[in-house]
Amino acid sequence: MGFYKWLDEIKISSDDVILEPFAGANNIPRMIIEDDIMPDSKWDCFDLEPGENVLPDFEIKVEDTINNYPKGYKVAITNPPYLSKNSATRRGLKYPDTDYDDIYKLCLDVMLRNTPYVAAIVPETFLTSRLFHKRLHSVISLTCKMFSDTDCPVCLALFVPEKEAPKSFDIYRMNELLGSYSELTANDVRDVLGIAWKFNDPNGEIGIWCIDNTREESIFFGRGEKISSGDIKNTSRSITRVGGFPEGINIDEFIDACNEILAKYRAGTKDVFMASFKGLRIDGLYRRRLDFATARRIMNLALFEVAKRVANNEKN
């Protein structure tokens, strides 16, 4: 597993005290000790508002570690808080003065500026944020229920000093190595055309079902009339109709091409660049959502390929 590889490479000694800067109730140290990952490890634990300590051997000291981060530690292992700026505004909660759109990103920034080696359980969407890549050793998608109070899909991001980081970090799904970041991004859909598709068009000719169901991969392209115009809203990201389909192209041939490209994209990238969505499917993998930017690239490539076939047929 990637975590054990990271541990082996960073060489934690018996004298090293591990920092838990966002300890909560000390669940992370307890898991690592009780699961025999590092049974003899020593910890210094901090939290602004500690929960009921589940590992009394290590006191949780009250500290605002975002603004007063503990210095002098080689390794930090934690599950930082998650709170988006939009959610904080909606709920009337105080949000730090930062350009980051989620508190966990600010926490990562603070940790990486002060600690050489960091392991953090963060939302799986971190993988597509393109943040802190120069420090990444590996990322592990955790397709298991980590916390009882949330079904937020998460990953374990493992960091090292920039001079020790690989040219392209590895991506795992639990114990399975999916490939390096560069290998997987090589299978992304290239943008070949600049068609001005109109998403969330109630009368759009193309329909897209953008989210997997709870059983299996189910994102697909189809005819727009299969989706009621009344179901299309500007805020919708689960289903959409897309307008701007050009004349002279067979719509069914185009839709087939879109679905073929989508299937190839999902297989080639192992789904790691598609946002995870609310929990696991019954096959044990995260549900995924197709974003409009990727959908646009898929449609552009499909149109390019179909138009090329039409031109070749006419020539022959």
Side-chain angles (χ1 to χ4, degrees), residues 9-24:
E9 291 181 8
I10 69 175
K11 294 180 172 53
I12 300 175
S13 75
S14 58
D15 294 328
D16 288 321
V17 177
I18 300 171
L19 171 65
E20 214 313 4
F22 307 102

Side-chain angles (χ1 to χ4, degrees), residues 64-299:
D64 178 359
T65 46
I66 291 179
N67 293 305
N68 189 25
Y69 189 85
K71 305 294 198 304
Y73 293 88
K74 173 182 175 179
V75 181
I77 303 177
T78 189
N79 170 220
Y82 319 151
L83 178 65
S84 72
K85 186 176 293 188
N86 288 340
S87 179
T89 300
R90 188 170 62 251
R91 295 159 59 185
L93 301 175
K94 184 178 180 181
Y95 194 82
D97 182 17
T98 175
D99 290 334
Y100 290 115
D101 61 0
D102 197 295
I103 285 179
Y104 87 83
K105 297 176 183 177
L106 174 61
C107 294
L108 283 178
D109 188 327
V110 171
M111 286 189 289
L112 291 171
R113 282 191 280 110
N114 292 282
T115 313
Y117 302 97
V118 172
I121 299 173
V122 294
E124 208 203 31
T125 50
F126 165 75
L127 193 52
T128 56
S129 70
R130 300 184 183 277
L131 290 173
F132 314 118
H133 278 200
K134 291 182 179 180
R135 294 279 304 270
L136 271 171
H137 172 278
S138 49
V139 175
I140 304 167
S141 176
L142 300 173
T143 53
C144 59
K145 189 165 180 62
M146 291 295 298
F147 310 109
S148 60
D149 58 345
T150 179
D151 61 356
C152 174
V154 294
C155 65
L156 177 61
L158 302 169
F159 300 90
V160 295
E162 185 175 340
K163 63 182 179 181
E164 298 177 21
K167 289 184 178 179
S168 183
F169 59 89
D170 284 335
I171 300 175
Y172 294 79
R173 181 182 295 130
M174 298 300 286
N175 293 325
E176 178 188 4
L177 176 61
L178 301 179
S180 71
Y181 179 79
S182 61
E183 289 170 344
L184 295 173
T185 52
N187 293 300
D188 202 351
V189 180
R190 58 196 176 97
D191 201 356
V192 295
L193 296 172
I195 303 299
W197 300 102
K198 183 181 178 183
F199 284 79
N200 288 331
D201 178 355
N203 300 308
E205 303 92 334
I206 306 300
I208 313 177
W209 287 256
C210 301
I211 295 176
D212 285 334
N213 62 34
T214 58
R215 301 181 304 279
E216 60 196 356
E217 292 184 7
S218 60
I219 297 168
F220 73 102
F221 293 78
R223 280 182 170 264
E225 63 260 28
K226 298 291 186 180
I227 300 175
S228 169
S229 296
D231 291 336
I232 299 302
K233 301 176 176 61
N234 287 333
T235 56
S236 174
R237 290 295 182 270
S238 59
I239 55 173
T240 188
R241 291 178 66 166
V242 184
F245 188 72
E247 295 181 359
I249 298 293
N250 182 288
I251 190 168
D252 293 318
E253 189 177 352
F254 170 79
I255 289 170
D256 287 344
C258 285
N259 286 318
E260 289 171 6
I261 293 166
L262 172 64
K264 184 177 179 181
Y265 166 72
R266 297 194 72 167
T269 63
K270 314 292 186 177
D271 277 354
V272 299
F273 305 122
M274 296 177 71
S276 45
F277 181 81
K278 289 186 179 178
L280 299 170
R281 307 190 307 238
I282 61 172
D283 61 5
L285 302 179
Y286 282 131
R287 300 169 68 190
R288 297 290 173 174
R289 179 175 64 81
L290 178 66
D291 63 87
F292 288 177
T294 304
R296 181 179 289 107
R297 296 199 306 275
I298 288 172
M299 289 190 295

Side-chain angles (χ1 to χ4, degrees), residues 1 3-4 7 26-41 43 54-55 58 77 121 142 144-147 156 174-175:
M1 180 180 175
F3 183 61
Y4 288 101
L7 282 177
N26 260 353
N27 286 301
I28 297 294
R30 182 177 71 169
M31 177 182 68
I32 286 176
I33 290 172
E34 293 184 355
D35 288 355
D36 285 330
I37 297 171
M38 290 187 289
D40 300 319
S41 54
W43 296 75
V54 298
L55 190 66
F58 299 105
I77 303 177
I121 299 173
L142 300 173
C144 59
K145 189 165 180 62
M146 291 295 298
F147 310 109
L156 177 61
M174 298 300 286
N175 293 325

